[in-house]
Amino acid sequence: MSADHLPEHPDFLWRNPEPKSSYDAVIVGGGGHGLATAYFLAKNHGMTNIAVLEKGWLAGGNMARNTTIIRSNYLWDESAAIYEHALKLWEVLPEELEYDFLFSQRGVMNLAHTLGDVRESMRRVGANKLNGVDAEWLDPQQVKELCPILNVGDNIRYPVMGATYQPRAGIAKHDHVAWAFARKCDEMGVDIIQNCEVTGFLKDGNRVVGVKTNRGTINTEKVGLCAAGHSSVLAEMAGFRLPIQSHPLQALVSELHEPVHPTVVMSNHVHVYVSQAHKGELVMGAGVDSYNGYGQRGSFHVIEEQMAAAVELFPIFARAHVLRTWGGIVDTTMDASPIVGTTPVENMFVNCGWGTGGFKGTPAAGLTFAHTIATGAPHKLNEPFSLERFETGALIDEHGAAAVAH
Amino acid sequence: MLLISCPNCGPRDETEFHYGGQAHVAYPEDPYALNDREWAEYLFYRDNTKGAYAERWVHSTGCRQWFNMLRDTVSYEIQAVYPMGTPAPGGSAPGTTANTAQAPEGASK
Ligand SMILES: Cc1cc2nc3c(=O)[nH]c(=O)nc-3n(C[C@H](O)[C@H](O)[C@H](O)COP(=O)(O)OP(=O)(O)OC[C@H]3O[C@@H](n4cnc5c(N)ncnc54)[C@H](O)[C@@H]3O)c2cc1C
Ligand SMILES: [Zn+2]
């Protein structure tokens, strides 16, 4: 087919401006969190003379590599508060952004396979209810009723002993979420600049006054880092350290199938989480590779283990084929909770450490990080997620709810 | 899957090994002398180098010995395998700086 038979290119959702010589604030990283931050800076704080700098293409990092699970059933009060706020924002964002990004509240099940799991899960359901998060405990029969293709028999190594269930949880189309934010940012005057890599910072004493990029130097009063897996690299350029380790995290999809999987099923114990995308692919995520890595790929045995777990839980998947696998670079912290706040460098702020589970947090990360950048002080939702907690010891240990899962 | 050359057993699949994180991080000589900031550095802060990284591995299902490795965290190429207690080849790799190099290796695991 020759080019003159192709349909016209659809309208672009944002401009591709040249970088200006100066902005009121610069956001580093054009993933979901950078775009959401820019959106709330413009919308809630009237800061429209700002830029999002992205070294590659918009949402080419973890934003369009994740398995799109959205839930808020975290154990601790601090986490429940910020993730539940995010979930409430997800519920209104399609209308607010005037973009149907297929947010589907089809529920999320977290399976329990051991007595320890059962106790931890029931405790989490109780904690969730006290925090106003919808949560239920399901016995194996109820699990089967909600997701008939799940094997709840005892003929597998780690039989399903029950599950927690959050009905309001679900999935969304991640790339469309990024485009929805980008279009609104652009409409409000935010410059989204792709192929623009930050290579250093200009400082006046301990205060940041600009960024160096492969497209020239940009002066700015404030810098917000939203670089996920590359946060440590940027912090080092700015002269401070972060308690972050970057790991490969992999996922995969099958070919398209008829709808067979009505909800989202996650298992920490056997390291797999599965949903079925709107088009029909089975979407499955694995655990992180153990080693540090910036390569956007991991080792094959991790995928092999994940598939073995999936086939035990869902025997009908044995005949499905893997179509594509890929990896992202996730920024993990020791307590499996994010860092959103100020840094040792004046006027530089950091949002990172969302690790394996930050897609769901995108709207709340944006809201609270924008507040922090605009006012210089944390929003009450991100106050506990400061960098200082690693010194004070006020950790928010979500390993039970988040270490492997998403 | 990485192919790792154990100094004792030779080349084996990654699945026989476990990762031990950054190498050359010594237990503080006098923990009580540290302030909160320094203690946090020891407990929670590790280098997160993009490039050549000195790290520890243990051959869990083989000889069960710890050893050090210099690996590129972007290409994953293994550049050197060397014994515990010896500095990283080249000397410039992260984690080999003076503040962490003194105490005996393996003390913290
Ligand atoms: C396989 C996988 C599955 C996941 N599944 C889930 C899930 O089911 N649910 C969930 O909630 N979360 C999940 N996550 C985690 C989630 O994707 C991340 O926490 C989240 O996307 C991180 O925020 P972000 O979108 O801003 O990151 P990114 O999209 O990675 O954005 C960071 C951006 O910074 C840019 N950047 C880096 N350095 C520079 C520089 N020097 N200059 C300019 N730009 C720079 C990068 O190019 C990148 O685009 C998953 C992640 C992976 C990899
Ligand atoms: Zn060995």
Side-chain angles (χ1 to χ4, degrees), chain A residues 29 31-33 53-55 61-63 65-69 196-198 226-228 230 234 249 251 328 355-360 406:
Chain A
H33 288 213
L53 310 183
E54 166 53 52
K55 74 171 173 179
N62 293 341
M63 183 57 175
R65 293 166 191 264
N66 63 67
T67 49
T68 83
I69 298 171
C196 183
E197 177 168 2
V198 172
C226 288
H230 277 82
L234 283 151
L249 177 65
T356 60
F359 174 66
K360 68 176 74 64
H406 307 268

PDB file of all heavy atoms in Angstrom, chain A residues 29 31-33 53-55 61-63 65-69 196-198 226-228 230 234 249 251 328 355-360 406, ligand 1:
ATOM      1  N   GLY A  29      11.099  14.015  33.579  1.00  0.00           N
ATOM      2  CA  GLY A  29      10.466  12.712  33.399  1.00  0.00           C
ATOM      3  C   GLY A  29       9.040  12.855  32.891  1.00  0.00           C
ATOM      4  O   GLY A  29       8.179  13.401  33.579  1.00  0.00           O
ATOM      5  N   GLY A  31       6.778  10.469  32.302  1.00  0.00           N
ATOM      6  CA  GLY A  31       5.919   9.310  32.542  1.00  0.00           C
ATOM      7  C   GLY A  31       4.620   9.792  33.157  1.00  0.00           C
ATOM      8  O   GLY A  31       4.309  10.994  33.143  1.00  0.00           O
ATOM      9  N   GLY A  32       3.858   8.869  33.716  1.00  0.00           N
ATOM     10  CA  GLY A  32       2.571   9.233  34.309  1.00  0.00           C
ATOM     11  C   GLY A  32       2.724  10.245  35.426  1.00  0.00           C
ATOM     12  O   GLY A  32       1.962  11.223  35.513  1.00  0.00           O
ATOM     13  N   HIS A  33       3.728  10.046  36.276  1.00  0.00           N
ATOM     14  CA  HIS A  33       3.853  10.909  37.444  1.00  0.00           C
ATOM     15  C   HIS A  33       4.272  12.327  37.065  1.00  0.00           C
ATOM     16  O   HIS A  33       3.763  13.305  37.614  1.00  0.00           O
ATOM     17  CB  HIS A  33       4.843  10.291  38.436  1.00  0.00           C
ATOM     18  CG  HIS A  33       4.291   9.085  39.141  1.00  0.00           C
ATOM     19  ND1 HIS A  33       4.622   8.754  40.422  1.00  0.00           N
ATOM     20  CD2 HIS A  33       3.420   8.134  38.736  1.00  0.00           C
ATOM     21  CE1 HIS A  33       3.978   7.639  40.788  1.00  0.00           C
ATOM     22  NE2 HIS A  33       3.256   7.243  39.759  1.00  0.00           N
ATOM     23  N   LEU A  53      10.275  17.643  30.905  1.00  0.00           N
ATOM     24  CA  LEU A  53      11.373  17.215  30.039  1.00  0.00           C
ATOM     25  C   LEU A  53      11.472  15.692  30.047  1.00  0.00           C
ATOM     26  O   LEU A  53      11.583  15.075  31.098  1.00  0.00           O
ATOM     27  CB  LEU A  53      12.704  17.809  30.508  1.00  0.00           C
ATOM     28  CG  LEU A  53      12.736  19.315  30.768  1.00  0.00           C
ATOM     29  CD1 LEU A  53      14.147  19.761  31.157  1.00  0.00           C
ATOM     30  CD2 LEU A  53      12.237  20.100  29.555  1.00  0.00           C
ATOM     31  N   GLU A  54      11.426  15.101  28.876  1.00  0.00           N
ATOM     32  CA  GLU A  54      11.460  13.634  28.767  1.00  0.00           C
ATOM     33  C   GLU A  54      12.605  13.242  27.830  1.00  0.00           C
ATOM     34  O   GLU A  54      12.663  13.703  26.701  1.00  0.00           O
ATOM     35  CB  GLU A  54      10.114  13.124  28.240  1.00  0.00           C
ATOM     36  CG  GLU A  54      10.104  11.680  27.768  1.00  0.00           C
ATOM     37  CD  GLU A  54      10.628  10.679  28.799  1.00  0.00           C
ATOM     38  OE1 GLU A  54      10.154  10.692  29.950  1.00  0.00           O
ATOM     39  OE2 GLU A  54      11.532   9.885  28.440  1.00  0.00           O
ATOM     40  N   LYS A  55      13.476  12.359  28.303  1.00  0.00           N
ATOM     41  CA  LYS A  55      14.650  12.022  27.480  1.00  0.00           C
ATOM     42  C   LYS A  55      14.291  11.168  26.271  1.00  0.00           C
ATOM     43  O   LYS A  55      14.978  11.190  25.263  1.00  0.00           O
ATOM     44  CB  LYS A  55      15.724  11.349  28.324  1.00  0.00           C
ATOM     45  CG  LYS A  55      15.422   9.925  28.712  1.00  0.00           C
ATOM     46  CD  LYS A  55      16.642   9.266  29.353  1.00  0.00           C
ATOM     47  CE  LYS A  55      16.219   7.908  29.883  1.00  0.00           C
ATOM     48  NZ  LYS A  55      17.265   7.153  30.498  1.00  0.00           N
ATOM     49  N   GLY A  61       8.608   4.927  29.382  1.00  0.00           N
ATOM     50  CA  GLY A  61       9.220   4.222  30.516  1.00  0.00           C
ATOM     51  C   GLY A  61       8.232   3.238  31.129  1.00  0.00           C
ATOM     52  O   GLY A  61       7.526   2.516  30.412  1.00  0.00           O
ATOM     53  N   ASN A  62       8.170   3.237  32.456  1.00  0.00           N
ATOM     54  CA  ASN A  62       7.290   2.286  33.139  1.00  0.00           C
ATOM     55  C   ASN A  62       5.816   2.568  32.865  1.00  0.00           C
ATOM     56  O   ASN A  62       4.979   1.672  33.004  1.00  0.00           O
ATOM     57  CB  ASN A  62       7.526   2.337  34.649  1.00  0.00           C
ATOM     58  CG  ASN A  62       8.907   1.833  35.022  1.00  0.00           C
ATOM     59  OD1 ASN A  62       9.558   1.138  34.236  1.00  0.00           O
ATOM     60  ND2 ASN A  62       9.363   2.186  36.201  1.00  0.00           N
ATOM     61  N   MET A  63       5.516   3.821  32.507  1.00  0.00           N
ATOM     62  CA  MET A  63       4.107   4.190  32.360  1.00  0.00           C
ATOM     63  C   MET A  63       3.378   3.282  31.370  1.00  0.00           C
ATOM     64  O   MET A  63       2.241   2.895  31.604  1.00  0.00           O
ATOM     65  CB  MET A  63       3.994   5.658  31.922  1.00  0.00           C
ATOM     66  CG  MET A  63       2.578   6.149  31.822  1.00  0.00           C
ATOM     67  SD  MET A  63       1.673   5.965  33.396  1.00  0.00           S
ATOM     68  CE  MET A  63       0.130   6.759  32.944  1.00  0.00           C
ATOM     69  N   ARG A  65       4.568   0.303  30.425  1.00  0.00           N
ATOM     70  CA  ARG A  65       5.098  -1.060  30.552  1.00  0.00           C
ATOM     71  C   ARG A  65       4.448  -1.801  31.709  1.00  0.00           C
ATOM     72  O   ARG A  65       4.739  -2.969  31.941  1.00  0.00           O
ATOM     73  CB  ARG A  65       6.617  -1.016  30.800  1.00  0.00           C
ATOM     74  CG  ARG A  65       7.406  -0.500  29.623  1.00  0.00           C
ATOM     75  CD  ARG A  65       8.831  -0.158  30.012  1.00  0.00           C
ATOM     76  NE  ARG A  65       9.467   0.560  28.923  1.00  0.00           N
ATOM     77  CZ  ARG A  65      10.240  -0.022  27.997  1.00  0.00           C
ATOM     78  NH1 ARG A  65      10.535  -1.292  28.070  1.00  0.00           N
ATOM     79  NH2 ARG A  65      10.738   0.683  27.013  1.00  0.00           N
ATOM     80  N   ASN A  66       3.599  -1.120  32.471  1.00  0.00           N
ATOM     81  CA  ASN A  66       3.055  -1.770  33.676  1.00  0.00           C
ATOM     82  C   ASN A  66       1.810  -2.581  33.343  1.00  0.00           C
ATOM     83  O   ASN A  66       1.279  -2.513  32.238  1.00  0.00           O
ATOM     84  CB  ASN A  66       2.774  -0.729  34.763  1.00  0.00           C
ATOM     85  CG  ASN A  66       1.725   0.262  34.341  1.00  0.00           C
ATOM     86  OD1 ASN A  66       0.580  -0.080  34.170  1.00  0.00           O
ATOM     87  ND2 ASN A  66       2.132   1.511  34.157  1.00  0.00           N
ATOM     88  N   THR A  67       1.356  -3.343  34.338  1.00  0.00           N
ATOM     89  CA  THR A  67       0.198  -4.219  34.131  1.00  0.00           C
ATOM     90  C   THR A  67      -1.102  -3.548  34.585  1.00  0.00           C
ATOM     91  O   THR A  67      -2.123  -4.213  34.742  1.00  0.00           O
ATOM     92  CB  THR A  67       0.393  -5.560  34.858  1.00  0.00           C
ATOM     93  OG1 THR A  67       0.802  -5.300  36.198  1.00  0.00           O
ATOM     94  CG2 THR A  67       1.460  -6.391  34.177  1.00  0.00           C
ATOM     95  N   THR A  68      -1.054  -2.274  34.837  1.00  0.00           N
ATOM     96  CA  THR A  68      -2.192  -1.350  34.996  1.00  0.00           C
ATOM     97  C   THR A  68      -3.127  -1.645  36.167  1.00  0.00           C
ATOM     98  O   THR A  68      -4.270  -1.182  36.180  1.00  0.00           O
ATOM     99  CB  THR A  68      -3.047  -1.206  33.701  1.00  0.00           C
ATOM    100  OG1 THR A  68      -3.984  -2.266  33.607  1.00  0.00           O
ATOM    101  CG2 THR A  68      -2.199  -1.125  32.453  1.00  0.00           C
ATOM    102  N   ILE A  69      -2.648  -2.381  37.149  1.00  0.00           N
ATOM    103  CA  ILE A  69      -3.535  -2.687  38.278  1.00  0.00           C
ATOM    104  C   ILE A  69      -3.677  -1.471  39.192  1.00  0.00           C
ATOM    105  O   ILE A  69      -2.689  -0.849  39.574  1.00  0.00           O
ATOM    106  CB  ILE A  69      -3.032  -3.909  39.072  1.00  0.00           C
ATOM    107  CG1 ILE A  69      -3.035  -5.140  38.158  1.00  0.00           C
ATOM    108  CG2 ILE A  69      -3.880  -4.150  40.318  1.00  0.00           C
ATOM    109  CD1 ILE A  69      -2.362  -6.355  38.772  1.00  0.00           C
ATOM    110  N   CYS A 196      14.529  15.152  25.249  1.00  0.00           N
ATOM    111  CA  CYS A 196      15.254  16.180  25.989  1.00  0.00           C
ATOM    112  C   CYS A 196      15.751  15.564  27.296  1.00  0.00           C
ATOM    113  O   CYS A 196      14.997  15.394  28.244  1.00  0.00           O
ATOM    114  CB  CYS A 196      14.331  17.373  26.257  1.00  0.00           C
ATOM    115  SG  CYS A 196      15.174  18.721  27.085  1.00  0.00           S
ATOM    116  N   GLU A 197      17.025  15.198  27.289  1.00  0.00           N
ATOM    117  CA  GLU A 197      17.596  14.498  28.451  1.00  0.00           C
ATOM    118  C   GLU A 197      18.282  15.480  29.387  1.00  0.00           C
ATOM    119  O   GLU A 197      19.110  16.278  28.956  1.00  0.00           O
ATOM    120  CB  GLU A 197      18.598  13.442  27.976  1.00  0.00           C
ATOM    121  CG  GLU A 197      19.269  12.730  29.144  1.00  0.00           C
ATOM    122  CD  GLU A 197      20.049  11.497  28.729  1.00  0.00           C
ATOM    123  OE1 GLU A 197      20.112  11.199  27.516  1.00  0.00           O
ATOM    124  OE2 GLU A 197      20.593  10.823  29.617  1.00  0.00           O
ATOM    125  N   VAL A 198      17.940  15.397  30.655  1.00  0.00           N
ATOM    126  CA  VAL A 198      18.618  16.223  31.647  1.00  0.00           C
ATOM    127  C   VAL A 198      19.967  15.571  31.953  1.00  0.00           C
ATOM    128  O   VAL A 198      20.038  14.393  32.293  1.00  0.00           O
ATOM    129  CB  VAL A 198      17.769  16.356  32.927  1.00  0.00           C
ATOM    130  CG1 VAL A 198      18.559  17.051  34.035  1.00  0.00           C
ATOM    131  CG2 VAL A 198      16.485  17.123  32.616  1.00  0.00           C
ATOM    132  N   CYS A 226      10.796  13.273  38.536  1.00  0.00           N
ATOM    133  CA  CYS A 226       9.817  12.182  38.388  1.00  0.00           C
ATOM    134  C   CYS A 226      10.403  11.137  37.458  1.00  0.00           C
ATOM    135  O   CYS A 226       9.800  10.777  36.450  1.00  0.00           O
ATOM    136  CB  CYS A 226       8.517  12.700  37.784  1.00  0.00           C
ATOM    137  SG  CYS A 226       7.537  13.715  38.880  1.00  0.00           S
ATOM    138  N   ALA A 227      11.592  10.647  37.781  1.00  0.00           N
ATOM    139  CA  ALA A 227      12.343   9.824  36.825  1.00  0.00           C
ATOM    140  C   ALA A 227      12.313   8.335  37.139  1.00  0.00           C
ATOM    141  O   ALA A 227      13.066   7.571  36.537  1.00  0.00           O
ATOM    142  CB  ALA A 227      13.778  10.324  36.739  1.00  0.00           C
ATOM    143  N   ALA A 228      11.458   7.921  38.070  1.00  0.00           N
ATOM    144  CA  ALA A 228      11.280   6.489  38.404  1.00  0.00           C
ATOM    145  C   ALA A 228      12.623   5.766  38.509  1.00  0.00           C
ATOM    146  O   ALA A 228      13.440   6.119  39.359  1.00  0.00           O
ATOM    147  CB  ALA A 228      10.327   5.832  37.404  1.00  0.00           C
ATOM    148  N   HIS A 230      15.380   5.953  37.110  1.00  0.00           N
ATOM    149  CA  HIS A 230      16.594   6.758  36.994  1.00  0.00           C
ATOM    150  C   HIS A 230      16.728   7.820  38.076  1.00  0.00           C
ATOM    151  O   HIS A 230      17.574   8.717  37.967  1.00  0.00           O
ATOM    152  CB  HIS A 230      16.680   7.409  35.607  1.00  0.00           C
ATOM    153  CG  HIS A 230      17.239   6.488  34.563  1.00  0.00           C
ATOM    154  ND1 HIS A 230      16.461   5.550  33.928  1.00  0.00           N
ATOM    155  CD2 HIS A 230      18.496   6.313  34.090  1.00  0.00           C
ATOM    156  CE1 HIS A 230      17.217   4.862  33.081  1.00  0.00           C
ATOM    157  NE2 HIS A 230      18.457   5.302  33.164  1.00  0.00           N
ATOM    158  N   LEU A 234      19.783  10.908  38.656  1.00  0.00           N
ATOM    159  CA  LEU A 234      19.546  12.358  38.687  1.00  0.00           C
ATOM    160  C   LEU A 234      19.948  12.949  40.034  1.00  0.00           C
ATOM    161  O   LEU A 234      20.544  14.025  40.091  1.00  0.00           O
ATOM    162  CB  LEU A 234      18.083  12.657  38.359  1.00  0.00           C
ATOM    163  CG  LEU A 234      17.829  12.526  36.851  1.00  0.00           C
ATOM    164  CD1 LEU A 234      16.405  12.123  36.563  1.00  0.00           C
ATOM    165  CD2 LEU A 234      18.185  13.819  36.136  1.00  0.00           C
ATOM    166  N   LEU A 249      11.836  -5.182  36.132  1.00  0.00           N
ATOM    167  CA  LEU A 249      10.562  -5.845  36.428  1.00  0.00           C
ATOM    168  C   LEU A 249       9.914  -6.186  35.095  1.00  0.00           C
ATOM    169  O   LEU A 249       9.802  -5.334  34.217  1.00  0.00           O
ATOM    170  CB  LEU A 249       9.646  -4.935  37.255  1.00  0.00           C
ATOM    171  CG  LEU A 249       8.257  -5.515  37.563  1.00  0.00           C
ATOM    172  CD1 LEU A 249       8.353  -6.740  38.463  1.00  0.00           C
ATOM    173  CD2 LEU A 249       7.355  -4.470  38.214  1.00  0.00           C
ATOM    174  N   ALA A 251       6.957  -8.154  32.472  1.00  0.00           N
ATOM    175  CA  ALA A 251       5.561  -8.539  32.274  1.00  0.00           C
ATOM    176  C   ALA A 251       5.435  -9.145  30.879  1.00  0.00           C
ATOM    177  O   ALA A 251       6.379  -9.093  30.082  1.00  0.00           O
ATOM    178  CB  ALA A 251       4.641  -7.333  32.435  1.00  0.00           C
ATOM    179  N   GLY A 328      10.673  -3.199  32.625  1.00  0.00           N
ATOM    180  CA  GLY A 328      10.840  -1.794  32.978  1.00  0.00           C
ATOM    181  C   GLY A 328      11.905  -1.709  34.060  1.00  0.00           C
ATOM    182  O   GLY A 328      12.445  -2.727  34.494  1.00  0.00           O
ATOM    183  N   GLY A 355       8.344   2.131  42.884  1.00  0.00           N
ATOM    184  CA  GLY A 355       8.737   0.747  42.660  1.00  0.00           C
ATOM    185  C   GLY A 355       7.837  -0.015  41.715  1.00  0.00           C
ATOM    186  O   GLY A 355       7.569   0.413  40.592  1.00  0.00           O
ATOM    187  N   THR A 356       7.363  -1.155  42.212  1.00  0.00           N
ATOM    188  CA  THR A 356       6.578  -2.055  41.373  1.00  0.00           C
ATOM    189  C   THR A 356       5.100  -1.661  41.310  1.00  0.00           C
ATOM    190  O   THR A 356       4.335  -2.313  40.609  1.00  0.00           O
ATOM    191  CB  THR A 356       6.661  -3.486  41.919  1.00  0.00           C
ATOM    192  OG1 THR A 356       6.133  -3.492  43.253  1.00  0.00           O
ATOM    193  CG2 THR A 356       8.097  -3.972  41.969  1.00  0.00           C
ATOM    194  N   GLY A 357       4.713  -0.607  42.053  1.00  0.00           N
ATOM    195  CA  GLY A 357       3.272  -0.358  42.150  1.00  0.00           C
ATOM    196  C   GLY A 357       2.814   1.078  42.036  1.00  0.00           C
ATOM    197  O   GLY A 357       1.829   1.468  42.649  1.00  0.00           O
ATOM    198  N   GLY A 358       3.481   1.884  41.221  1.00  0.00           N
ATOM    199  CA  GLY A 358       3.157   3.308  41.201  1.00  0.00           C
ATOM    200  C   GLY A 358       2.161   3.763  40.155  1.00  0.00           C
ATOM    201  O   GLY A 358       1.771   4.925  40.140  1.00  0.00           O
ATOM    202  N   PHE A 359       1.733   2.844  39.266  1.00  0.00           N
ATOM    203  CA  PHE A 359       0.745   3.285  38.280  1.00  0.00           C
ATOM    204  C   PHE A 359      -0.527   3.719  38.997  1.00  0.00           C
ATOM    205  O   PHE A 359      -1.065   4.801  38.747  1.00  0.00           O
ATOM    206  CB  PHE A 359       0.448   2.173  37.270  1.00  0.00           C
ATOM    207  CG  PHE A 359      -0.676   2.514  36.323  1.00  0.00           C
ATOM    208  CD1 PHE A 359      -0.536   3.539  35.404  1.00  0.00           C
ATOM    209  CD2 PHE A 359      -1.882   1.817  36.373  1.00  0.00           C
ATOM    210  CE1 PHE A 359      -1.574   3.880  34.542  1.00  0.00           C
ATOM    211  CE2 PHE A 359      -2.930   2.145  35.508  1.00  0.00           C
ATOM    212  CZ  PHE A 359      -2.771   3.172  34.600  1.00  0.00           C
ATOM    213  N   LYS A 360      -0.991   2.871  39.922  1.00  0.00           N
ATOM    214  CA  LYS A 360      -2.220   3.180  40.655  1.00  0.00           C
ATOM    215  C   LYS A 360      -2.131   4.492  41.399  1.00  0.00           C
ATOM    216  O   LYS A 360      -3.126   5.160  41.630  1.00  0.00           O
ATOM    217  CB  LYS A 360      -2.516   2.057  41.654  1.00  0.00           C
ATOM    218  CG  LYS A 360      -1.504   1.994  42.785  1.00  0.00           C
ATOM    219  CD  LYS A 360      -1.850   0.947  43.807  1.00  0.00           C
ATOM    220  CE  LYS A 360      -1.592  -0.451  43.319  1.00  0.00           C
ATOM    221  NZ  LYS A 360      -0.146  -0.744  43.038  1.00  0.00           N
ATOM    222  N   HIS A 406       1.335  -5.614  42.773  1.00  0.00           N
ATOM    223  CA  HIS A 406       1.186  -4.313  42.157  1.00  0.00           C
ATOM    224  C   HIS A 406      -0.157  -3.738  42.460  1.00  0.00           C
ATOM    225  O   HIS A 406      -0.912  -3.340  41.696  1.00  0.00           O
ATOM    226  CB  HIS A 406       1.462  -4.419  40.672  1.00  0.00           C
ATOM    227  CG  HIS A 406       2.777  -5.073  40.492  1.00  0.00           C
ATOM    228  ND1 HIS A 406       3.935  -4.365  40.384  1.00  0.00           N
ATOM    229  CD2 HIS A 406       3.117  -6.368  40.584  1.00  0.00           C
ATOM    230  CE1 HIS A 406       4.938  -5.213  40.365  1.00  0.00           C
ATOM    231  NE2 HIS A 406       4.479  -6.418  40.475  1.00  0.00           N
TER     232      HIS A 406
HETATM  233  C1  LIG C   1       6.411  -4.662  34.283  1.00  0.00           C
HETATM  234  C2  LIG C   1       5.818  -3.650  35.236  1.00  0.00           C
HETATM  235  C3  LIG C   1       4.556  -3.877  35.778  1.00  0.00           C
HETATM  236  C4  LIG C   1       3.992  -2.948  36.650  1.00  0.00           C
HETATM  237  N1  LIG C   1       2.711  -3.163  37.077  1.00  0.00           N
HETATM  238  C5  LIG C   1       2.096  -2.233  37.838  1.00  0.00           C
HETATM  239  C6  LIG C   1       0.720  -2.401  38.195  1.00  0.00           C
HETATM  240  O1  LIG C   1       0.051  -3.363  37.810  1.00  0.00           O
HETATM  241  N2  LIG C   1       0.143  -1.453  38.988  1.00  0.00           N
HETATM  242  C7  LIG C   1       0.843  -0.369  39.431  1.00  0.00           C
HETATM  243  O2  LIG C   1       0.274   0.431  40.177  1.00  0.00           O
HETATM  244  N3  LIG C   1       2.135  -0.157  39.064  1.00  0.00           N
HETATM  245  C8  LIG C   1       2.785  -1.061  38.275  1.00  0.00           C
HETATM  246  N4  LIG C   1       4.094  -0.858  37.899  1.00  0.00           N
HETATM  247  C9  LIG C   1       4.833   0.300  38.425  1.00  0.00           C
HETATM  248  C10 LIG C   1       4.551   1.592  37.654  1.00  0.00           C
HETATM  249  O3  LIG C   1       4.664   1.364  36.279  1.00  0.00           O
HETATM  250  C11 LIG C   1       5.545   2.698  38.093  1.00  0.00           C
HETATM  251  O4  LIG C   1       5.576   2.799  39.498  1.00  0.00           O
HETATM  252  C12 LIG C   1       5.163   4.072  37.529  1.00  0.00           C
HETATM  253  O5  LIG C   1       4.897   3.996  36.157  1.00  0.00           O
HETATM  254  C13 LIG C   1       6.311   5.052  37.790  1.00  0.00           C
HETATM  255  O6  LIG C   1       5.983   6.394  37.456  1.00  0.00           O
HETATM  256  P1  LIG C   1       6.098   7.009  35.964  1.00  0.00           P
HETATM  257  O7  LIG C   1       4.929   6.564  35.182  1.00  0.00           O
HETATM  258  O8  LIG C   1       6.253   8.449  36.081  1.00  0.00           O
HETATM  259  O9  LIG C   1       7.455   6.302  35.467  1.00  0.00           O
HETATM  260  P2  LIG C   1       8.100   6.283  34.003  1.00  0.00           P
HETATM  261  O10 LIG C   1       7.066   6.103  32.960  1.00  0.00           O
HETATM  262  O11 LIG C   1       9.217   5.305  34.044  1.00  0.00           O
HETATM  263  O12 LIG C   1       8.639   7.765  33.876  1.00  0.00           O
HETATM  264  C14 LIG C   1       9.953   8.194  34.182  1.00  0.00           C
HETATM  265  C15 LIG C   1      10.472   8.932  32.974  1.00  0.00           C
HETATM  266  O13 LIG C   1      11.666   9.641  33.289  1.00  0.00           O
HETATM  267  C16 LIG C   1      12.431   9.692  32.115  1.00  0.00           C
HETATM  268  N5  LIG C   1      13.815  10.064  32.448  1.00  0.00           N
HETATM  269  C17 LIG C   1      14.720   9.335  33.144  1.00  0.00           C
HETATM  270  N6  LIG C   1      15.895   9.991  33.215  1.00  0.00           N
HETATM  271  C18 LIG C   1      15.720  11.182  32.564  1.00  0.00           C
HETATM  272  C19 LIG C   1      16.578  12.295  32.296  1.00  0.00           C
HETATM  273  N7  LIG C   1      17.852  12.330  32.709  1.00  0.00           N
HETATM  274  N8  LIG C   1      16.069  13.348  31.596  1.00  0.00           N
HETATM  275  C20 LIG C   1      14.773  13.322  31.161  1.00  0.00           C
HETATM  276  N9  LIG C   1      13.932  12.292  31.379  1.00  0.00           N
HETATM  277  C21 LIG C   1      14.397  11.226  32.081  1.00  0.00           C
HETATM  278  C22 LIG C   1      12.296   8.276  31.566  1.00  0.00           C
HETATM  279  O14 LIG C   1      12.642   8.219  30.193  1.00  0.00           O
HETATM  280  C23 LIG C   1      10.829   7.979  31.833  1.00  0.00           C
HETATM  281  O15 LIG C   1      10.001   8.245  30.728  1.00  0.00           O
HETATM  282  C24 LIG C   1       4.704  -1.777  37.021  1.00  0.00           C
HETATM  283  C25 LIG C   1       5.974  -1.537  36.474  1.00  0.00           C
HETATM  284  C26 LIG C   1       6.534  -2.458  35.577  1.00  0.00           C
HETATM  285  C27 LIG C   1       7.879  -2.175  34.985  1.00  0.00           C
END
